[in-house]
Amino acid sequence: MISLDWICGQCAFIYAFNKIKPAVIVDKLIEAVVDVLVPGKGAGESNWFWRNLRSLERDSDRISKELDIRGDLRNWDREFPFFHHELIVRYAAGFLASAVAVAAFGQVRSLFSSSKRSRY
């Protein structure tokens, strides 16, 4: 027999899998990884020339690191065409939505079942 929480989880997975925009999420993830990998401001920025020079170096490092990451993703997609990186994002979003939906359904069901028991 199929339970309602299973149906709720399946519906949430299907909805999230189809509605998610993986390119936006991948861009945000790449931005976060680049922020972690590329160091911020350093010492030696006492005047405008050195500040601007350091800013140019930092921006070029960020662009270089982002291009490296995107190149690695392209290589991954070529090497594993059946497991595309955007498909991974869709599956992860679907599993997360399914887990949240099942947990929320369980909480709502327990609220109603405990309120019925407390009345009698």
Side-chain angles (χ1 to χ4, degrees):
M1 182 167 158
I2 298 175
S3 63
L4 284 177
D5 58 345
W6 184 82
I7 293 172
C8 183
Q10 294 301 311
C11 290
F13 180 90
I14 292 167
Y15 181 79
F17 186 88
N18 290 318
K19 286 295 185 179
I20 195 89
K21 297 197 182 330
V24 174
I25 293 174
V26 169
D27 289 342
K28 294 290 183 185
L29 287 173
I30 289 173
E31 183 180 321
V33 168
V34 168
D35 284 341
V36 169
L37 294 178
V38 175
K41 292 183 177 182
E45 298 181 3
S46 58
N47 61 28
W48 66 271
F49 177 75
W50 291 112
R51 277 193 302 270
N52 290 334
L53 182 64
R54 180 68 180 145
S55 175
L56 286 173
E57 289 174 350
R58 189 173 43 250
D59 290 344
S60 67
D61 288 344
R62 290 180 64 83
I63 291 170
S64 168
K65 185 59 75 174
E66 182 176 346
L67 290 175
D68 289 344
I69 293 170
R70 290 187 187 277
D72 290 341
L73 284 175
R74 247 188 268 71
N75 289 340
W76 171 274
D77 293 339
R78 261 188 260 124
E79 191 172 339
F80 304 104
F82 52 90
F83 206 52
H84 199 270
H85 72 275
E86 291 184 355
L87 188 61
I88 296 170
V89 171
R90 285 184 184 272
Y91 276 122
F95 287 136
L96 180 64
S98 177
V100 169
V102 168
F105 185 78
Q107 288 293 325
V108 169
R109 187 174 50 188
S110 70
L111 286 175
F112 286 119
S113 67
S114 65
S115 66
K116 286 181 183 177
R117 279 188 240 140
S118 65
R119 288 183 193 168
Y120 299 111

